[in-house]
Amino acid sequence: RIQTWRSWEDLIRLWNPWGHTEWRGRWSDESLEWQKIPDQQRRQLHENKEDGEFWMSCQDFRDNFSCLHICNQFPVSLNQENVPHERWSQVMFKNSATPGNTTEGLSRDTQSIFSVPEGMESHNAIMSINIIQQNLKAKDKFPLSLSVFKVDPQFQHYQKLPPTFFSKFRNAIEGISSKNRGSLTKRYSLSPGTYVAVTSAHSETVEFLLRIFLKMPDGNRNLDSNFNLMALKASLPKHSSQESIFHKYAQQELNLDAAQLQNLLNQELLTGTPGHTFSLDECRSIVALMDL
């Protein structure tokens, strides 16, 4: 807010990321309004430069823009304060969806399996899909759809769910969705358990980034200080070699990512109290530490 010779004026500073084509109205770079404010304020705020950055009055902003998106790295509601003992974890899947590669209308190759912890059952999961804007034409609609299903216990040992899971009698979980040309976001309230997010393409192959945000309890695991790898080795299932367990979770690859490592450690090696498990952030740290 600045003071002119007549009154106070509310301004907003904007930036065109393309670096050119600026606002030419009141309070633009060459506007006479800048001559009506004290020299000190003008030196602090005004710069006549074709760099895509400019000022507008708040009234002109309201008159010329119809939609405003407020973005944040993590899902934070404007009407919601930080709640103690809660945090958000993020899992990312980069993939591509191809039309026609489906079972009962659902793509089999774009499955993203995740787990929801106990005690966080209200608005505890957010799915966000982003695609490259340059690949969209002016009048294109969003080319992907997202469905979330709870995984039954008899299917939870699969790394990729078989066609028998996707029967026509299985209904997707309802979520609150919003989308534009380049992104789709859905918010869910999920009960504890294992879930799969399935991404399907409508008409052509699309590369996308899926981010799954999960509300997590922010408590310490309080693992025994004597925790060591020898105890992990002793807990390996009988008649199973370390190599066979590795290949079970590596899905025919020669290395593990953080999510695969998390599944291996928590499902094969840990036998302690429920909740005393490796988090995804801890597994990312392990991968970063060991990756040569």
Side-chain angles (χ1 to χ4, degrees):
R1 172 176 258 203
I2 61 175
Q3 186 174 16
T4 68
W5 63 277
R6 289 189 309 173
S7 61
W8 289 90
E9 185 94 48
D10 292 319
L11 303 183
I12 184 169
R13 194 176 194 179
L14 303 177
W15 176 54
N16 177 0
W18 299 108
H20 55 81
T21 308
E22 298 183 5
W23 166 248
R24 299 301 182 191
R26 295 175 62 248
W27 297 105
S28 61
D29 287 358
E30 299 179 357
S31 170
L32 295 178
E33 270 76 18
W34 292 108
Q35 306 303 319
K36 303 174 183 178
I37 65 174
D39 291 344
Q40 183 179 359
Q41 278 192 319
R42 184 167 59 251
R43 287 193 299 268
Q44 289 176 339
L45 304 177
H46 180 238
E47 187 175 10
N48 189 0
K49 190 175 179 181
E50 186 69 20
D51 57 358
E53 195 172 272
F54 55 91
W55 291 91
M56 296 178 72
S57 71
C58 287
Q59 183 60 50
D60 286 332
F61 179 80
R62 288 193 293 265
D63 292 342
N64 286 273
F65 291 89
S66 59
C67 186
L68 175 66
H69 294 273
I70 300 177
C71 303
N72 196 22
Q73 184 177 3
F74 289 96
V76 176
S77 299
L78 293 177
N79 60 348
Q80 196 173 40
E81 297 180 357
N82 291 331
V83 180
H85 312 301
E86 290 183 1
R87 61 184 174 86
W88 289 91
S89 70
Q90 179 185 204
V91 187
M92 292 190 293
F93 301 91
K94 190 175 182 180
N95 210 330
S96 61
T98 303
N101 188 16
T102 60
T103 297
E104 295 292 343
L106 293 171
S107 174
R108 294 171 293 167
D109 293 341
T110 55
Q111 301 177 17
S112 306
I113 298 176
F114 62 96
S115 296
V116 174
E118 295 185 0
M120 299 285 159
E121 300 181 23
S122 176
H123 300 295
N124 57 352
I126 295 176
M127 319 284 165
S128 177
I129 299 181
N130 293 89
I131 60 176
I132 300 175
Q133 290 274 14
Q134 287 84 334
N135 292 341
L136 290 174
K137 298 178 182 178
K139 295 183 179 180
D140 281 350
K141 295 182 179 179
F142 191 74
L144 299 172
S145 59
L146 176 67
S147 302
V148 174
F149 302 88
K150 190 164 188 178
V151 180
D152 308 324
Q154 66 267 30
F155 289 102
Q156 290 183 5
H157 65 283
Y158 286 96
Q159 293 301 302
K160 181 174 288 187
L161 296 171
T164 52
F165 175 83
F166 298 103
S167 72
K168 61 183 179 180
F169 301 105
R170 189 178 298 278
N171 295 322
I173 298 172
E174 294 292 332
I176 302 172
S177 65
S178 62
K179 63 181 177 181
N180 54 37
R181 290 179 57 248
S183 66
L184 167 66
T185 301
K186 285 191 173 184
R187 180 184 291 267
Y188 295 90
S189 294
L190 302 177
S191 59
T194 301
Y195 294 82
V196 60
V198 180
T199 308
S200 305
H202 298 161
S203 58
E204 59 185 17
T205 299
V206 180
E207 292 187 357
F208 65 89
L209 175 68
L210 170 63
R211 293 180 297 161
I212 300 178
F213 298 95
L214 297 173
K215 191 184 291 185
M216 307 289 288
D218 191 17
N220 294 323
R221 293 188 292 115
N222 297 324
L223 289 177
D224 192 335
S225 59
N226 296 323
F227 181 80
N228 57 61
L229 288 178
M230 293 302 295
L232 288 177
K233 282 188 176 181
S235 69
L236 284 171
K238 294 181 179 180
H239 310 300
S240 296
S241 68
Q242 297 176 46
E243 290 79 5
S244 65
I245 292 178
F246 175 89
H247 288 297
K248 173 183 175 182
Y249 288 89
Q251 299 181 9
Q252 311 304 318
E253 300 292 336
L254 297 179
N255 48 44
L256 290 170
D257 61 24
Q260 292 167 331
L261 177 62
Q262 182 187 31
N263 287 333
L264 186 155
L265 293 175
N266 292 338
Q267 296 182 23
E268 299 288 346
L269 303 180
L270 292 186
T271 58
T273 307
H276 290 184
T277 57
F278 285 92
S279 71
L280 185 63
D281 287 338
E282 290 169 328
C283 291
R284 286 197 185 106
S285 299
I286 293 172
V287 170
L289 178 67
M290 301 303 296
D291 187 358
L292 302 181

